[in-house]
Amino acid sequence: MSTLPLAVVRRRRRNVRHTLDVRVSPYAYVAPFFLLFCAFGLFPLAYTAWVSLHEWTLLSETQTFVGLDNFTTLLADGYFWNATFNTLSIGFLSTVPQLALAIWLAHLLNRRLRFQTMFRVALLLPNVTSVVAVVVIFSQLFGRDFGMINWVLSWFGAGNIDWAAGTATSHIALSTMIMWRWTGYNALIFLAAMQAVPRELYEAATIDGASNVTQLRRITMPMIRPTIVFVVIVSTIGAMQIIAEPMLFGQSSGAGGGVATGGPDRQFQTLALFVYEQGFGNSTFDFGYASAASWLMFVAVVIVAGINFLISRRVKGGLL
């Protein structure tokens, strides 16, 4: 029986360790994320689906299996569809102008300017500001009697607008708050992508006489298209989950109604607020109904994000 030389044995051990390091270690590095995702993401999602199939309230010790009855009732609930409309309306009014303004700000900061660091930090300040402070301040700005917005509009002959009372006006007010918080954050993401665009392209375009707007449309936006797709999808998902702004806006503006109703006529109640109302905002604590609403909300988020993804991918870079 022959014995392998010690050098050969050591070489084989090194090869085994190298193979394990290359093939196994990447999974070990990402394992903590997937463990946390399963514990705080996948399991709650599956458990919510199970709860949605029951008549599940905190006031009862027994949970009766009802199948799809919660979903059937929900699809016939006018308040649910009202919250869906409000969510889509506020999301559209806040996301589209926000992304356009973010790209323009990033394009401006991508040029050689003095105090670039100061401007970039200033863009991030609204995002790190407490949402409570933001809503309280903007509620005062949009105040009916003494708000600055109405004071400026009075110069043009407009009367005092009760921003929180109407559907359209409340959506505009909430969209303005969301835009103010997230425009700078998205601008920094776009700016990071713009930093990777070769400067030679801009120099050649300048020599050819292209304006800043032309350079933005023909060079910058096609080159950062993957980043635009990413930001559009993330912003869409965030817009479908709005809850803090309408909840605090209803309290700060004195619009009336419950904490989670989004005004007395539910004029700015979003899907997230509707779910909160069903689970915690009323006396029944109907977790089964709230879970069904959560799952339909999840499906709506996936559908809207998927549509945005397909549209973004199909739009040619030169036409963005």
Side-chain angles (χ1 to χ4, degrees):
M1 183 176 181
S2 60
T3 304
L4 294 175
L6 183 60
V8 175
V9 175
R10 290 178 177 175
R11 190 182 307 113
R12 289 186 175 180
R13 289 178 179 176
R14 285 196 299 268
N15 291 337
V16 172
R17 286 197 298 268
H18 177 73
T19 302
L20 291 176
D21 182 57
V22 172
R23 296 184 178 181
V24 178
S25 60
Y27 296 98
Y29 297 147
V30 300
F33 164 78
F34 285 103
L35 291 175
L36 292 175
F37 173 74
C38 291
F40 299 102
L42 192 59
F43 172 74
L45 190 65
Y47 190 71
T48 301
W50 173 253
V51 173
S52 68
L53 302 177
H54 293 75
E55 185 180 345
W56 196 302
T57 65
L58 295 183
L59 303 180
S60 175
E61 296 182 357
T62 60
Q63 294 82 34
T64 306
F65 182 82
V66 294
L68 299 178
D69 287 355
N70 284 328
F71 292 94
T72 303
T73 305
L74 189 63
L75 292 176
D77 192 340
Y79 291 152
F80 171 76
W81 292 111
N82 172 73
T84 302
F85 168 78
N86 292 338
T87 302
L88 294 175
S89 174
I90 297 172
F92 179 82
L93 292 175
S94 61
T95 302
V96 176
Q98 173 195 150
L99 296 180
L101 183 58
I103 292 177
W104 179 247
L105 289 175
H107 180 67
L108 294 178
L109 290 179
N110 195 35
R111 305 171 62 185
R112 291 183 176 88
L113 299 173
R114 293 183 178 181
F115 312 111
Q116 281 189 343
T117 303
M118 182 188 69
F119 287 126
R120 294 173 184 178
V121 172
L123 284 178
L124 194 59
L125 285 179
N127 184 251
V128 300
T129 304
S130 170
V131 63
V132 177
V134 173
V135 176
V136 169
I137 293 174
F138 273 87
S139 296
Q140 299 302 316
L141 293 176
F142 283 99
R144 182 189 61 182
D145 298 321
F146 306 104
M148 182 179 293
I149 305 299
N150 281 341
W151 177 61
V152 173
L153 292 177
S154 65
W155 300 348
F156 305 95
N160 289 342
I161 301 175
D162 192 351
W163 293 91
T167 300
T169 54
S170 61
H171 291 187
I172 293 174
L174 288 168
S175 300
T176 304
M177 302 177 198
I178 298 169
M179 286 175 55
W180 188 84
R181 285 196 68 213
W182 292 102
T183 299
Y185 176 83
N186 289 325
L188 291 181
I189 296 178
F190 289 134
L191 179 61
M194 292 178 185
Q195 296 289 310
V197 179
R199 289 289 177 181
E200 293 80 7
L201 297 177
Y202 295 110
E203 294 173 359
T206 303
I207 294 175
D208 291 339
S211 63
N212 286 331
V213 177
T214 302
Q215 293 181 22
L216 175 63
R217 292 182 61 249
R218 299 299 182 183
I219 298 176
T220 304
M221 296 182 69
M223 294 294 291
I224 66 170
R225 195 176 83 172
T227 304
I228 294 177
V229 173
F230 168 77
V231 174
V232 167
I233 294 174
V234 172
S235 299
T236 302
I237 295 174
M240 293 292 292
Q241 298 175 338
I242 299 171
I243 182 172
E245 287 85 356
M247 178 182 289
L248 296 172
F249 181 60
Q251 292 179 307
S252 300
S253 61
V259 175
T261 58
D265 297 326
R266 300 175 182 266
Q267 61 268 29
F268 52 89
Q269 185 185 48
T270 60
L271 280 173
L273 266 182
F274 179 80
V275 173
Y276 177 84
E277 179 190 16
Q278 300 304 319
F280 302 98
N282 52 38
S283 58
T284 59
F285 299 102
D286 193 347
F287 274 27
Y289 198 66
S291 298
S294 299
W295 256 91
L296 288 184
M297 177 180 169
F298 169 74
V299 173
V301 170
V302 172
I303 292 175
V304 173
I307 292 174
N308 270 339
F309 175 76
L310 294 177
I311 293 175
S312 301
R313 290 295 299 269
R314 290 182 177 275
V315 173
K316 295 182 179 179
L319 297 177
L320 285 173

